[in-house]
Amino acid sequence: MKHFAFADIGEAQRLPRIVCLGPRTYGVVFSLMKLLPAWYILSSAAKRGELGTDTVIVETTSGTFGLGLAMQTALSGHQLILVGDPAIDKRLRDRLEGMGAQVEIVTEPAKHGGIQQARLDRVAEIRAQHPDSYCPDQYANPDNPLSYSYVAEVIAESVGQVDCLVGPIGSGGSMCGTTRHLRTAFGDMRAIAVDTHHSVIFGQADGHRGLRGLGNSLMPANVDHGVFDEVHWIGEADAYAASRRLLRGHALFTGPTSGAAFHVGRWWANANPDATTVIMCPDEGYRYQDTVYNPHWIAERGLDGPVSSEPDTVATPGDGVGAWSRFDWGRRQLAEVLAANGAR
Amino acid sequence: MATCDVTDDARRAPFDTFPLHQPLVGRRFGHGQSIGHHGELLQGTFEDSDGLRHRALVTLPLPGLVTHAYFHPGPGAPGRVTVKPAWKRKAAAAAELILSRYLPTASGELVIHGAGAQPGLGLGSSTSDVTAALRAVADCYALPVTAADLARLAVEAEGASDSVMLDSQVVLFAHRCGHVLESFNRLLPHIVVVGCDTDPDRGGVDTLGFRPPEHTAAEIGEFRCLLGLLRHGLSTGSVSLLAKVAEASARINQRYLPTREFDNLSTIARETGGLGIQVSHSGTVAGILFDGSVPGAVSRAEDCQRILRKRGFEDPWVFHSHSVKDGR
């Protein structure tokens, strides 16, 4: 083992650890996965000359990508303005502001396009006030999926042959990027996207999503539907219970998106014991101590019932609501899947 | 593209002129040899730890293809080296280069007993000649030349070079500036290779006339992943993974120097139990890889050789990634 001093905490935490979670089953364990695309997007923009030392960085997120950006800008000294959601938790906001980020909350929906559009409008306003500004745009920036070549390298070096990659999907960056890079060598590798009910990514109607950190109510340009073999929709109760199982059984303290991926990944690995399964675990559990890891909070919401042990295989994405469901996506584009279902 | 400067790099110490109190005429003659190679297991653009990009490769050695060089010091214009056969000008230039660094007033004659590989196939014929020539001069005068010095001199003499001067060490070699980007500290597992010339009518590729590829950011990401897999394949001795790396590398580079019959070869590999294919990224040879540790590998390879012949490939050959006398 080589030991050396990292240049900064961003470099130290950028890459995941590969942890065995069962026979031929590995977790790709990040402290904060979004640190990697945040770093890569900003450093690539700087190399291209789109980001100078005085450029103001503006992005519409107060989630983990915002945290990744705030860590990078705290280290680089750039001004960062994050346009966020009123649902932002106080601890995260304090941490972002502690690193010098300005957090703006938009509460009023736009006339057309709702709250998401209102936030985009606000970003445009801020950028108009700062002629030298840069928007990382994680949902459409191709450097987001490209950054995951570093993750593919770590996985390939640690595990070798990979037969199945399972992970949560939100922006499309991690799953599409890691899959594409691993498939350079393993063309047959299965890619399983873990989404949540009422997310539009794989063709469900937009609606309230209890489980946060994955799924989306808008379609990110970085989602390349054609890489996925299989899609699962999973709800709060199963994801939270799986997160607690990761803690109890593996001492792994993660956010609920890791739990969701573990729930599906373990099921697939059990059904395919001869295959090597790799599960993406994007972040740590600290933000969820008062919720996912609080038995009272879980009980109050009736999320302590029995967990699903098997998914329902559904014939159309629209049927995959309510319970844990799976759908054979077959590396198709969204339009193909919707057309096939329309013809049914 | 940020990359290292060949000449500056090569002109640094330790190439100070050899101390003059050494005898100008050394032994009666000096001998050097070099193995050839069979193209690459991996070739692409890689970033070093500072984020600088380098074109680099991992050589597939061809230990049975040995070139010998003999250097006879003798009278002549200072610094001049004649060569037999006379067309091996690169070897003579390499000998003159090493003399200019260590013994600028010496001169002599170089005799190359080549392994007979045709230049341009990607078998490293000129790198072998150059490496053997450098070693012959170094041997003659007992020059304190390290493998790293040889690598830089070979690149300076040739413009680009594979890493045959490092013998059986597996390294990621920046072939246009002559330094090792990463040393894997592992030997190759036993690979049985069925090789062929995919385009015998072409008569090889002009290695230096061929413009080096400008890989895209997406391709650099793919090479990064393949490098990780190569490390795993070397540390576990998995020919299967190394073959996947080689075929993926070859596939990415098809955009820049297509290998005739690439898809055909890939299909034949699958049909005959081969684990993947490898190509010369600057020539026309290619190979189908078999795991030498699996019983029956050689007879499978010979079956594959027969099938290649039947499908119109001229004179395919079989070789091992290390010579039997290595005792491995």
Side-chain angles (χ1 to χ4, degrees), chain B residues 262-291:
Chain B
F262 183 84
D263 291 325
N264 201 359
L265 275 176
S266 175
T267 308
I268 294 171
R270 262 141 211 75
E271 285 171 12
T272 55
L275 297 168
I277 62 178
Q278 112 350 281
V279 304
S280 160
H281 290 72
S282 58
T284 55
V285 297
I288 297 180
L289 309 183
F290 293 82
D291 184 347

PDB file of all heavy atoms in Angstrom, chain B residues 262-291:
ATOM      1  N   PHE B 262     -10.308  -6.641 -39.023  1.00  0.00           N
ATOM      2  CA  PHE B 262     -10.418  -6.588 -37.559  1.00  0.00           C
ATOM      3  C   PHE B 262     -11.625  -7.398 -37.061  1.00  0.00           C
ATOM      4  O   PHE B 262     -11.497  -8.259 -36.184  1.00  0.00           O
ATOM      5  CB  PHE B 262     -10.529  -5.124 -37.105  1.00  0.00           C
ATOM      6  CG  PHE B 262     -10.581  -4.960 -35.616  1.00  0.00           C
ATOM      7  CD1 PHE B 262      -9.412  -4.925 -34.868  1.00  0.00           C
ATOM      8  CD2 PHE B 262     -11.796  -4.864 -34.944  1.00  0.00           C
ATOM      9  CE1 PHE B 262      -9.449  -4.784 -33.494  1.00  0.00           C
ATOM     10  CE2 PHE B 262     -11.839  -4.733 -33.567  1.00  0.00           C
ATOM     11  CZ  PHE B 262     -10.667  -4.687 -32.848  1.00  0.00           C
ATOM     12  N   ASP B 263     -12.790  -7.130 -37.624  1.00  0.00           N
ATOM     13  CA  ASP B 263     -13.996  -7.817 -37.152  1.00  0.00           C
ATOM     14  C   ASP B 263     -13.944  -9.312 -37.448  1.00  0.00           C
ATOM     15  O   ASP B 263     -14.379 -10.136 -36.650  1.00  0.00           O
ATOM     16  CB  ASP B 263     -15.251  -7.188 -37.771  1.00  0.00           C
ATOM     17  CG  ASP B 263     -15.480  -5.786 -37.222  1.00  0.00           C
ATOM     18  OD1 ASP B 263     -15.174  -5.563 -36.032  1.00  0.00           O
ATOM     19  OD2 ASP B 263     -15.935  -4.912 -37.975  1.00  0.00           O
ATOM     20  N   ASN B 264     -13.376  -9.624 -38.615  1.00  0.00           N
ATOM     21  CA  ASN B 264     -13.203 -11.006 -39.010  1.00  0.00           C
ATOM     22  C   ASN B 264     -12.336 -11.759 -37.995  1.00  0.00           C
ATOM     23  O   ASN B 264     -12.666 -12.867 -37.543  1.00  0.00           O
ATOM     24  CB  ASN B 264     -12.545 -10.980 -40.394  1.00  0.00           C
ATOM     25  CG  ASN B 264     -12.755 -12.259 -41.150  1.00  0.00           C
ATOM     26  OD1 ASN B 264     -13.379 -13.188 -40.634  1.00  0.00           O
ATOM     27  ND2 ASN B 264     -12.224 -12.319 -42.358  1.00  0.00           N
ATOM     28  N   LEU B 265     -11.230 -11.129 -37.596  1.00  0.00           N
ATOM     29  CA  LEU B 265     -10.325 -11.745 -36.619  1.00  0.00           C
ATOM     30  C   LEU B 265     -11.019 -11.925 -35.274  1.00  0.00           C
ATOM     31  O   LEU B 265     -10.853 -12.942 -34.602  1.00  0.00           O
ATOM     32  CB  LEU B 265      -9.095 -10.860 -36.405  1.00  0.00           C
ATOM     33  CG  LEU B 265      -7.942 -11.030 -37.376  1.00  0.00           C
ATOM     34  CD1 LEU B 265      -6.875  -9.991 -37.060  1.00  0.00           C
ATOM     35  CD2 LEU B 265      -7.360 -12.432 -37.264  1.00  0.00           C
ATOM     36  N   SER B 266     -11.791 -10.914 -34.880  1.00  0.00           N
ATOM     37  CA  SER B 266     -12.495 -10.981 -33.610  1.00  0.00           C
ATOM     38  C   SER B 266     -13.480 -12.159 -33.621  1.00  0.00           C
ATOM     39  O   SER B 266     -13.603 -12.897 -32.637  1.00  0.00           O
ATOM     40  CB  SER B 266     -13.212  -9.644 -33.387  1.00  0.00           C
ATOM     41  OG  SER B 266     -13.982  -9.696 -32.235  1.00  0.00           O
ATOM     42  N   THR B 267     -14.142 -12.350 -34.744  1.00  0.00           N
ATOM     43  CA  THR B 267     -15.075 -13.477 -34.874  1.00  0.00           C
ATOM     44  C   THR B 267     -14.326 -14.799 -34.807  1.00  0.00           C
ATOM     45  O   THR B 267     -14.739 -15.734 -34.095  1.00  0.00           O
ATOM     46  CB  THR B 267     -15.830 -13.378 -36.227  1.00  0.00           C
ATOM     47  OG1 THR B 267     -16.385 -12.075 -36.318  1.00  0.00           O
ATOM     48  CG2 THR B 267     -16.914 -14.419 -36.343  1.00  0.00           C
ATOM     49  N   ILE B 268     -13.198 -14.891 -35.519  1.00  0.00           N
ATOM     50  CA  ILE B 268     -12.421 -16.134 -35.514  1.00  0.00           C
ATOM     51  C   ILE B 268     -11.920 -16.427 -34.098  1.00  0.00           C
ATOM     52  O   ILE B 268     -11.928 -17.575 -33.641  1.00  0.00           O
ATOM     53  CB  ILE B 268     -11.251 -16.058 -36.532  1.00  0.00           C
ATOM     54  CG1 ILE B 268     -11.816 -15.987 -37.953  1.00  0.00           C
ATOM     55  CG2 ILE B 268     -10.317 -17.250 -36.382  1.00  0.00           C
ATOM     56  CD1 ILE B 268     -10.784 -15.702 -39.036  1.00  0.00           C
ATOM     57  N   ALA B 269     -11.536 -15.372 -33.374  1.00  0.00           N
ATOM     58  CA  ALA B 269     -11.090 -15.574 -31.990  1.00  0.00           C
ATOM     59  C   ALA B 269     -12.212 -16.236 -31.187  1.00  0.00           C
ATOM     60  O   ALA B 269     -11.981 -17.223 -30.470  1.00  0.00           O
ATOM     61  CB  ALA B 269     -10.698 -14.237 -31.353  1.00  0.00           C
ATOM     62  N   ARG B 270     -13.428 -15.721 -31.319  1.00  0.00           N
ATOM     63  CA  ARG B 270     -14.546 -16.286 -30.555  1.00  0.00           C
ATOM     64  C   ARG B 270     -14.818 -17.732 -30.963  1.00  0.00           C
ATOM     65  O   ARG B 270     -15.063 -18.589 -30.135  1.00  0.00           O
ATOM     66  CB  ARG B 270     -15.793 -15.433 -30.727  1.00  0.00           C
ATOM     67  CG  ARG B 270     -15.982 -14.484 -29.564  1.00  0.00           C
ATOM     68  CD  ARG B 270     -16.492 -13.117 -29.984  1.00  0.00           C
ATOM     69  NE  ARG B 270     -16.014 -12.075 -29.107  1.00  0.00           N
ATOM     70  CZ  ARG B 270     -14.779 -11.584 -29.094  1.00  0.00           C
ATOM     71  NH1 ARG B 270     -13.860 -12.080 -29.896  1.00  0.00           N
ATOM     72  NH2 ARG B 270     -14.438 -10.628 -28.258  1.00  0.00           N
ATOM     73  N   GLU B 271     -14.759 -17.988 -32.268  1.00  0.00           N
ATOM     74  CA  GLU B 271     -15.043 -19.344 -32.769  1.00  0.00           C
ATOM     75  C   GLU B 271     -14.020 -20.365 -32.299  1.00  0.00           C
ATOM     76  O   GLU B 271     -14.337 -21.541 -32.169  1.00  0.00           O
ATOM     77  CB  GLU B 271     -15.029 -19.341 -34.305  1.00  0.00           C
ATOM     78  CG  GLU B 271     -16.258 -18.706 -34.939  1.00  0.00           C
ATOM     79  CD  GLU B 271     -16.084 -18.539 -36.453  1.00  0.00           C
ATOM     80  OE1 GLU B 271     -15.125 -19.109 -37.026  1.00  0.00           O
ATOM     81  OE2 GLU B 271     -16.905 -17.833 -37.031  1.00  0.00           O
ATOM     82  N   THR B 272     -12.771 -19.918 -32.083  1.00  0.00           N
ATOM     83  CA  THR B 272     -11.716 -20.884 -31.803  1.00  0.00           C
ATOM     84  C   THR B 272     -11.325 -20.902 -30.339  1.00  0.00           C
ATOM     85  O   THR B 272     -10.331 -21.516 -29.967  1.00  0.00           O
ATOM     86  CB  THR B 272     -10.462 -20.551 -32.644  1.00  0.00           C
ATOM     87  OG1 THR B 272     -10.082 -19.190 -32.370  1.00  0.00           O
ATOM     88  CG2 THR B 272     -10.742 -20.697 -34.125  1.00  0.00           C
ATOM     89  N   GLY B 273     -12.084 -20.240 -29.498  1.00  0.00           N
ATOM     90  CA  GLY B 273     -11.782 -20.250 -28.063  1.00  0.00           C
ATOM     91  C   GLY B 273     -10.707 -19.252 -27.674  1.00  0.00           C
ATOM     92  O   GLY B 273     -10.196 -19.283 -26.556  1.00  0.00           O
ATOM     93  N   GLY B 274     -10.362 -18.335 -28.594  1.00  0.00           N
ATOM     94  CA  GLY B 274      -9.408 -17.279 -28.252  1.00  0.00           C
ATOM     95  C   GLY B 274     -10.061 -16.307 -27.288  1.00  0.00           C
ATOM     96  O   GLY B 274     -11.282 -16.168 -27.254  1.00  0.00           O
ATOM     97  N   LEU B 275      -9.243 -15.635 -26.472  1.00  0.00           N
ATOM     98  CA  LEU B 275      -9.805 -14.779 -25.427  1.00  0.00           C
ATOM     99  C   LEU B 275      -9.977 -13.337 -25.905  1.00  0.00           C
ATOM    100  O   LEU B 275     -10.638 -12.544 -25.247  1.00  0.00           O
ATOM    101  CB  LEU B 275      -8.904 -14.823 -24.200  1.00  0.00           C
ATOM    102  CG  LEU B 275      -8.808 -16.218 -23.577  1.00  0.00           C
ATOM    103  CD1 LEU B 275      -7.678 -16.270 -22.559  1.00  0.00           C
ATOM    104  CD2 LEU B 275     -10.133 -16.606 -22.934  1.00  0.00           C
ATOM    105  N   GLY B 276      -9.361 -13.020 -27.040  1.00  0.00           N
ATOM    106  CA  GLY B 276      -9.474 -11.657 -27.557  1.00  0.00           C
ATOM    107  C   GLY B 276      -8.377 -11.454 -28.577  1.00  0.00           C
ATOM    108  O   GLY B 276      -7.564 -12.351 -28.812  1.00  0.00           O
ATOM    109  N   ILE B 277      -8.380 -10.248 -29.187  1.00  0.00           N
ATOM    110  CA  ILE B 277      -7.341  -9.994 -30.179  1.00  0.00           C
ATOM    111  C   ILE B 277      -6.522  -8.771 -29.790  1.00  0.00           C
ATOM    112  O   ILE B 277      -6.967  -7.928 -29.018  1.00  0.00           O
ATOM    113  CB  ILE B 277      -7.908  -9.824 -31.605  1.00  0.00           C
ATOM    114  CG1 ILE B 277      -8.858  -8.629 -31.693  1.00  0.00           C
ATOM    115  CG2 ILE B 277      -8.621 -11.087 -32.046  1.00  0.00           C
ATOM    116  CD1 ILE B 277      -9.388  -8.420 -33.094  1.00  0.00           C
ATOM    117  N   GLN B 278      -5.331  -8.735 -30.334  1.00  0.00           N
ATOM    118  CA  GLN B 278      -4.409  -7.629 -30.064  1.00  0.00           C
ATOM    119  C   GLN B 278      -3.850  -7.207 -31.401  1.00  0.00           C
ATOM    120  O   GLN B 278      -3.798  -8.022 -32.324  1.00  0.00           O
ATOM    121  CB  GLN B 278      -3.458  -8.105 -29.045  1.00  0.00           C
ATOM    122  CG  GLN B 278      -2.020  -8.409 -29.070  1.00  0.00           C
ATOM    123  CD  GLN B 278      -1.178  -8.487 -30.240  1.00  0.00           C
ATOM    124  OE1 GLN B 278      -1.133  -9.459 -30.994  1.00  0.00           O
ATOM    125  NE2 GLN B 278      -0.430  -7.417 -30.407  1.00  0.00           N
ATOM    126  N   VAL B 279      -3.502  -5.939 -31.525  1.00  0.00           N
ATOM    127  CA  VAL B 279      -2.958  -5.483 -32.804  1.00  0.00           C
ATOM    128  C   VAL B 279      -1.683  -4.686 -32.576  1.00  0.00           C
ATOM    129  O   VAL B 279      -1.379  -4.271 -31.448  1.00  0.00           O
ATOM    130  CB  VAL B 279      -3.956  -4.576 -33.579  1.00  0.00           C
ATOM    131  CG1 VAL B 279      -5.283  -5.281 -33.802  1.00  0.00           C
ATOM    132  CG2 VAL B 279      -4.159  -3.246 -32.870  1.00  0.00           C
ATOM    133  N   SER B 280      -0.965  -4.488 -33.660  1.00  0.00           N
ATOM    134  CA  SER B 280       0.082  -3.487 -33.647  1.00  0.00           C
ATOM    135  C   SER B 280      -0.606  -2.171 -33.975  1.00  0.00           C
ATOM    136  O   SER B 280      -1.264  -2.061 -35.009  1.00  0.00           O
ATOM    137  CB  SER B 280       1.130  -3.812 -34.700  1.00  0.00           C
ATOM    138  OG  SER B 280       1.829  -2.618 -34.971  1.00  0.00           O
ATOM    139  N   HIS B 281      -0.452  -1.188 -33.080  1.00  0.00           N
ATOM    140  CA  HIS B 281      -1.132   0.086 -33.295  1.00  0.00           C
ATOM    141  C   HIS B 281      -0.409   0.949 -34.322  1.00  0.00           C
ATOM    142  O   HIS B 281      -0.837   2.043 -34.618  1.00  0.00           O
ATOM    143  CB  HIS B 281      -1.290   0.842 -31.980  1.00  0.00           C
ATOM    144  CG  HIS B 281      -2.279   0.185 -31.049  1.00  0.00           C
ATOM    145  ND1 HIS B 281      -2.008  -0.986 -30.391  1.00  0.00           N
ATOM    146  CD2 HIS B 281      -3.536   0.528 -30.692  1.00  0.00           C
ATOM    147  CE1 HIS B 281      -3.050  -1.319 -29.644  1.00  0.00           C
ATOM    148  NE2 HIS B 281      -3.994  -0.413 -29.808  1.00  0.00           N
ATOM    149  N   SER B 282       0.738   0.456 -34.825  1.00  0.00           N
ATOM    150  CA  SER B 282       1.424   1.214 -35.865  1.00  0.00           C
ATOM    151  C   SER B 282       1.903   0.274 -36.967  1.00  0.00           C
ATOM    152  O   SER B 282       2.902   0.537 -37.607  1.00  0.00           O
ATOM    153  CB  SER B 282       2.607   1.977 -35.265  1.00  0.00           C
ATOM    154  OG  SER B 282       3.481   1.057 -34.651  1.00  0.00           O
ATOM    155  N   GLY B 283       1.201  -0.818 -37.159  1.00  0.00           N
ATOM    156  CA  GLY B 283       1.599  -1.759 -38.195  1.00  0.00           C
ATOM    157  C   GLY B 283       0.426  -2.594 -38.618  1.00  0.00           C
ATOM    158  O   GLY B 283      -0.725  -2.234 -38.353  1.00  0.00           O
ATOM    159  N   THR B 284       0.717  -3.709 -39.271  1.00  0.00           N
ATOM    160  CA  THR B 284      -0.387  -4.506 -39.813  1.00  0.00           C
ATOM    161  C   THR B 284      -0.505  -5.876 -39.145  1.00  0.00           C
ATOM    162  O   THR B 284      -1.370  -6.650 -39.526  1.00  0.00           O
ATOM    163  CB  THR B 284      -0.223  -4.678 -41.342  1.00  0.00           C
ATOM    164  OG1 THR B 284       1.070  -5.241 -41.601  1.00  0.00           O
ATOM    165  CG2 THR B 284      -0.356  -3.348 -42.047  1.00  0.00           C
ATOM    166  N   VAL B 285       0.369  -6.202 -38.182  1.00  0.00           N
ATOM    167  CA  VAL B 285       0.213  -7.508 -37.533  1.00  0.00           C
ATOM    168  C   VAL B 285      -0.885  -7.452 -36.470  1.00  0.00           C
ATOM    169  O   VAL B 285      -1.192  -6.394 -35.907  1.00  0.00           O
ATOM    170  CB  VAL B 285       1.507  -8.045 -36.878  1.00  0.00           C
ATOM    171  CG1 VAL B 285       2.589  -8.286 -37.907  1.00  0.00           C
ATOM    172  CG2 VAL B 285       1.978  -7.158 -35.757  1.00  0.00           C
ATOM    173  N   ALA B 286      -1.467  -8.623 -36.224  1.00  0.00           N
ATOM    174  CA  ALA B 286      -2.481  -8.760 -35.175  1.00  0.00           C
ATOM    175  C   ALA B 286      -2.349 -10.166 -34.617  1.00  0.00           C
ATOM    176  O   ALA B 286      -1.720 -11.034 -35.239  1.00  0.00           O
ATOM    177  CB  ALA B 286      -3.869  -8.544 -35.748  1.00  0.00           C
ATOM    178  N   GLY B 287      -2.911 -10.383 -33.447  1.00  0.00           N
ATOM    179  CA  GLY B 287      -2.807 -11.702 -32.839  1.00  0.00           C
ATOM    180  C   GLY B 287      -4.072 -12.079 -32.097  1.00  0.00           C
ATOM    181  O   GLY B 287      -4.815 -11.209 -31.635  1.00  0.00           O
ATOM    182  N   ILE B 288      -4.313 -13.393 -32.011  1.00  0.00           N
ATOM    183  CA  ILE B 288      -5.422 -13.932 -31.214  1.00  0.00           C
ATOM    184  C   ILE B 288      -4.793 -14.565 -29.981  1.00  0.00           C
ATOM    185  O   ILE B 288      -3.821 -15.316 -30.086  1.00  0.00           O
ATOM    186  CB  ILE B 288      -6.226 -14.955 -32.043  1.00  0.00           C
ATOM    187  CG1 ILE B 288      -6.848 -14.238 -33.249  1.00  0.00           C
ATOM    188  CG2 ILE B 288      -7.282 -15.635 -31.187  1.00  0.00           C
ATOM    189  CD1 ILE B 288      -7.684 -15.137 -34.160  1.00  0.00           C
ATOM    190  N   LEU B 289      -5.323 -14.227 -28.797  1.00  0.00           N
ATOM    191  CA  LEU B 289      -4.650 -14.585 -27.546  1.00  0.00           C
ATOM    192  C   LEU B 289      -5.311 -15.783 -26.865  1.00  0.00           C
ATOM    193  O   LEU B 289      -6.543 -15.860 -26.766  1.00  0.00           O
ATOM    194  CB  LEU B 289      -4.670 -13.391 -26.583  1.00  0.00           C
ATOM    195  CG  LEU B 289      -4.183 -12.044 -27.139  1.00  0.00           C
ATOM    196  CD1 LEU B 289      -4.190 -10.980 -26.045  1.00  0.00           C
ATOM    197  CD2 LEU B 289      -2.792 -12.165 -27.723  1.00  0.00           C
ATOM    198  N   PHE B 290      -4.460 -16.695 -26.362  1.00  0.00           N
ATOM    199  CA  PHE B 290      -4.905 -17.868 -25.613  1.00  0.00           C
ATOM    200  C   PHE B 290      -4.158 -17.914 -24.287  1.00  0.00           C
ATOM    201  O   PHE B 290      -3.026 -17.444 -24.185  1.00  0.00           O
ATOM    202  CB  PHE B 290      -4.599 -19.153 -26.408  1.00  0.00           C
ATOM    203  CG  PHE B 290      -5.410 -19.290 -27.675  1.00  0.00           C
ATOM    204  CD1 PHE B 290      -5.016 -18.626 -28.837  1.00  0.00           C
ATOM    205  CD2 PHE B 290      -6.568 -20.056 -27.702  1.00  0.00           C
ATOM    206  CE1 PHE B 290      -5.768 -18.735 -30.005  1.00  0.00           C
ATOM    207  CE2 PHE B 290      -7.320 -20.180 -28.863  1.00  0.00           C
ATOM    208  CZ  PHE B 290      -6.923 -19.510 -30.014  1.00  0.00           C
ATOM    209  N   ASP B 291      -4.800 -18.490 -23.285  1.00  0.00           N
ATOM    210  CA  ASP B 291      -4.196 -18.601 -21.957  1.00  0.00           C
ATOM    211  C   ASP B 291      -3.265 -19.815 -21.928  1.00  0.00           C
ATOM    212  O   ASP B 291      -3.723 -20.959 -21.965  1.00  0.00           O
ATOM    213  CB  ASP B 291      -5.311 -18.746 -20.916  1.00  0.00           C
ATOM    214  CG  ASP B 291      -4.773 -18.779 -19.491  1.00  0.00           C
ATOM    215  OD1 ASP B 291      -3.543 -18.940 -19.320  1.00  0.00           O
ATOM    216  OD2 ASP B 291      -5.579 -18.638 -18.564  1.00  0.00           O
TER     217      ASP B 291
END
